[in-house]
Amino acid sequence: MFRKSGVILATVALVQFMVSLDLSVVNVGLPRIAAGLGFSTLGLTWVIHAYAVTFGGLLLLGGKAADRYGRRLLLLLGLTVFALASLAGGFAQQPGHLVAARAVQGIGAAALAPAALALLSAAFPDGRARVRAFGVWAAVNAAGGALGVLIGGVLTEYAGWRWVMFVSVPMAAAALVMAWRVDDAPPVADRGPDVAGALLATSGMLLLVYGIVRTDIRPVAVAVALLAGFVVVQRRTTRDPLIRFGLAANRSVAGANLFNLLAGAAMASAFYFASLYLQQVLGHGPALTGVMFLPFALAVVAGAVVAVRLGHRLPGRMLLIAGGLLTAAGFAVFGRISVDGSFTADVLAPSVIAGFGFGFCLGPVVSIATAGVADHESGTASGLLNSSRQIGAALGLAVLGTIADRHPGTEGYALGLTLCAALMAAAALIAVTVLPRRVPAITSPQPAHR
C-alpha cells in the first residue's frame, strides 16, 4: 500500500509542479514574446487569459469526467494534450498561434489537474499521512508557481522565449511514464458528464474576460446571460450536473473556494505587475528578474512547510486567516514602489512577507475544500477548487490590468499591487465570516466515503 501511494504522490507532485510552473513561466518572457510575435499591449494579456480561462472553465468538466471515466485515464489524456499543445506553442509564428496553444494547454490541464488531486485524496484519506501528502502537494504547487518565474527568466534570456513553452514537454513525458504505474478505482457511474454546462461556463467566462479587457459592455452582457444559463441548466435540466449544488452550498467547500478565487486573482495579478515593474521600470533583464523572484519562491515553500507543522495544533481556518493577512500586508508594502526604487528597498521585503503568507494558505485551503467529500465526488471537488483559482486569476488580471492600464507606468503597477492587497484582505475576511469555526483541521480531515 505504501509503495502504491508513494507512486501516486510522486506522480501527482510532478504533475502539480508542471501545471503551476506553466501558470507563471511565461510572465517574465512577456515583453520578448510581444516583440517576437507582434502582440499589442492588451493582446499580450491573452497569453495568460487563454490558459487560465480554458483551464478554469473546463475544470469542473474534467473533475466530473475523472469521476465517470477513471482518474488515471483522464490523467493520461490530459498529459498528452498538454505536451502536444506546449510543443505547438513553442513553434508559434503569430500571436493567434500562441494564444490558441495556450488555450489547448488549459484544456489539457483541466483534464489532468482534478484527476491528479482526486487520486491523491483517495490514496491518503485521513490521518498524518494525508497531512504529509498535502504538505508535499502544497510545497510543489508553491515551488512550481514561484520557480516558474525564475526558470522562465533564465530560458527567455539565454535560450529564447520559445523555451518557456518547450520546457513543459519533457515534464509531461516523464509524468506520462509515471502515470502508467498508477492504480485507480473503477468509475462509479455510467452517465456522461455535462458537456453543455461546461461549454456555457467556459464561453461565458471567455466573453466576460474579453468584455472587461476591451471595456465593452456588450460581451459582458452576453457573458452574464451564458453564466445565468449555466446556473439554470445545473439546477433544473441536467440529470447529472457538473456540480451538485448541495456540494457547493457546504460552508467549508464554499468558503475555501471563495478564498481561492480571491487569492488566485491577487497572485496572478501580482506576478504580472511585479514582472513588468522589474523589467520595464527598473530595467533588469529576464534572467535577473527571475532570480529576483527566488526569495518569494523560497518564502512560499517555507510558509507551506510551517503550515503543515502548525496544522498539528491549529485548525486550517486559522491558518487561512493568518496567511491571507500576511499576504495582504506584503502586497500593501509592495504597492509603495516608485520609479526610482530598487529591488532591495522596494521588492525584497514585501516578496518575503507575501510569499510566506501565501505558503501558509496552500495546504489548508485544499484540505478544507476536500475533507469529508464523498469519494465519487472527489474529482468534482478537486476540479471546483482548481477552477476557482484559475477563474480568479483570469478575472483578477482582466480587472486589475484594465484599471492599471489607465495609469502610466509605475503608478499603474503600484495601484495594481495595492488592489492585490485588498483582494487578500477580503480573502481573510471570507475565512473569518464564511468558514465554520469547526472546519476540520488539516491534521484530521473526515475520511472520504462511497
Side-chain angles (χ1 to χ4, degrees):
M1 175 63 185
F2 175 78
R3 183 177 179 181
K4 291 180 180 179
S5 60
V7 170
I8 290 174
L9 178 58
T11 303
V12 171
L14 177 58
V15 166
Q16 189 59 44
F17 180 86
M18 179 187 72
V19 171
S20 297
L21 179 141
D22 209 70
L23 285 167
S24 61
V25 72
V26 301
N27 277 282
V28 175
L30 286 175
R32 295 203 179 179
I33 290 173
L37 295 181
F39 274 98
S40 66
T41 301
L42 288 178
L44 187 62
T45 62
W46 281 97
V47 177
I48 298 173
H49 292 324
Y51 180 80
V53 173
T54 54
F55 189 4
L58 294 174
L59 268 166
L60 289 176
L61 179 63
K64 183 67 72 172
D67 290 334
R68 294 300 180 257
Y69 302 124
R71 301 152 188 161
R72 179 175 175 271
L73 175 63
L74 263 291
L75 181 58
L76 293 170
L77 178 63
L79 285 167
T80 302
V81 171
F82 194 92
L84 293 175
S86 300
L87 193 63
F91 288 113
Q93 299 299 312
Q94 297 178 12
H97 296 166
L98 182 58
V99 170
R102 289 285 287 170
V104 177
Q105 273 188 318
I107 294 171
L112 64 90
L117 194 53
L119 281 168
L120 186 67
S121 185
F124 300 91
D126 53 28
R128 291 183 176 271
R130 181 178 173 96
V131 177
R132 289 192 293 270
F134 276 100
V136 171
W137 182 92
V140 297
N141 183 32
L147 292 177
V149 184
L150 171 61
I151 294 169
V154 172
L155 288 175
T156 298
E157 184 148 334
Y158 297 112
W161 69 260
R162 296 182 184 278
W163 281 93
V164 303
M165 299 296 295
F166 290 145
V167 70
S168 297
V169 177
M171 287 189 289
L176 269 169
V177 173
M178 296 170 68
W180 278 109
R181 300 176 58 196
V182 169
D183 292 327
D184 187 22
V188 296
D190 56 3
R191 290 195 299 271
D194 176 22
V195 177
L199 292 177
L200 282 171
T202 306
S203 58
M205 286 301 307
L206 280 168
L207 279 174
L208 182 60
V209 171
Y210 177 78
I212 292 171
V213 171
R214 296 296 297 268
T215 63
D216 189 339
I217 193 64
R218 286 172 293 182
V220 172
V222 176
V224 171
L226 289 172
L227 294 173
F230 168 75
V231 174
V232 170
V233 167
Q234 297 301 291
R235 297 195 66 174
R236 297 183 180 179
T237 62
T238 304
R239 294 176 60 197
D240 192 20
L242 281 178
I243 176 170
R244 184 175 59 82
F245 273 79
L247 176 65
N250 180 288
R251 286 183 65 186
S252 295
V253 174
N257 277 277
L258 284 172
F259 186 99
N260 218 30
L261 181 84
L262 294 171
M267 294 307 299
S269 302
F271 268 105
Y272 180 76
F273 294 131
S275 177
L276 292 179
Y277 173 71
L278 287 169
Q279 292 185 79
Q280 296 186 351
V281 177
L282 298 188
H284 301 302
L288 183 56
T289 296
V291 171
M292 288 176 171
F293 274 96
L294 190 57
F296 176 84
L298 297 175
V300 172
V301 175
V305 171
V306 172
V308 171
R309 294 183 179 276
L310 291 178
H312 294 293
R313 296 185 295 273
L314 297 175
R317 175 176 175 270
M318 295 303 298
L319 294 176
L320 286 185
I321 295 169
L325 291 176
L326 270 176
T327 310
F331 287 154
V333 177
F334 217 155
R336 299 172 63 189
I337 56 175
S338 61
V339 68
D340 57 349
S342 67
F343 169 74
T344 304
D346 296 274
V347 179
L348 181 58
S351 293
V352 173
I353 296 169
F356 190 82
F358 187 63
F360 245 55
C361 305
L362 292 174
V365 75
V366 174
S367 191
I368 290 170
T370 58
V373 175
D375 188 54
H376 70 274
E377 286 191 310
S378 60
T380 304
S382 301
L384 180 62
L385 186 67
N386 277 292
S387 183
S388 64
R389 180 184 174 191
Q390 304 313 322
I391 289 172
L395 289 177
L397 183 55
V399 174
L400 271 59
T402 301
I403 294 172
D405 193 54
R406 297 177 178 176
H407 298 78
T410 304
E411 182 182 343
Y413 303 150
L415 175 60
L417 288 163
T418 300
L419 292 174
C420 289
L423 288 174
M424 288 307 304
L429 184 61
I430 290 293
V432 172
T433 59
V434 177
L435 288 178
R437 292 186 177 275
R438 295 189 178 183
V439 171
I442 65 173
T443 54
S444 55
Q446 298 298 315
H449 57 279
R450 291 190 180 275

